Amino acid sequence: MESKKSIIQSAVSTLELEAAAILNVAKNINDDFEKVVSTILQSEGRVIVTGIGKSAIIAQKIVATFNSTGTPAIFMHAADAIHGDLGMIQINDIIICLSKSGNTPEIKVLAPLLNNAGNKLIGMVGNLNSFLAQQADLILNASVEKEACPHNLAPTTSTTAQLALGDALAICLLECRKFNESDFAKYHPGGSLGKKLYLKARDLALTNEKPSIKPSASVKEVLIEISKNRLGAVAVIDDENRILGIITDGDIRRMLENNGNIATLKAEDIMGRNPKSIQHDALAVEALELIKFNNITQLLVLDQKTYFGIIHLHDLLNEGIV
């Protein structure tokens, strides 16, 4: 049984080896890398990413990153390619082939077929003297000195280098396309990430009631309105639907503590006169930041200068924004 110290040392050593490999890959970024980015940007087709073994798994991740950042991509397993899947490749598609050795049997069969079809072939390869490197139109150098595996066998450092190089490609393409948060939201509509990028304040406010009273309303009317709508607050508005203030549960408690006779009190006597608010077309995540910064639980939503609704902290929690 390995000691705790040796286990920790092994983990640290692995991460240090892989970090060093990524730094070495960065040093190998050259004109070919720039040409690969330019070729993809100018292409009217898709990017087909292929590989065998562990490289195939990394290829799938690169495809997923490409697709989510504005570069249409498809994964093709190198073994399946030579048994029918070559049919997925269209005339304008670009192929990126991942291989550490560049000399596997499947790659040796596949590369000439791709060249014969006239598609641009990019080799992400760890051996610059390999068959794949010789067949490729452009090369992405993913060479590493050794694997993190103590036997220098299991693909570890080499696949990390491929993964990092794929991310570098994706980010360069993203920046060249000026792919922004709105574009990102189109491809990530599900889950909390997507909601942070597209959900607006109005979307939340519209799911709630719209509690409001006039400044002359009695304390009883205030309590009824707050209880009826279950938002813990009510907006005080004028005849033109403009915000004059807000009354919260906390305001009610403070009123009861500080006043012996509440019969003559009106809404305007107990309302907060500088309520925090947000425009209805602002992102919900901006509403969250306002709520957190001001240490409040309700936020008024406006349409220009008029009252639109209320957002409660629970609305943001329910949507997974928090």
Side-chain angles (χ1 to χ4, degrees), residues 5-21:
K5 183 177 180 181
S6 64
I7 290 172
I8 292 173
Q9 286 177 337
S10 176
V12 170
S13 176
T14 299
L15 293 172
E16 288 177 344
L17 282 169
E18 298 204 349

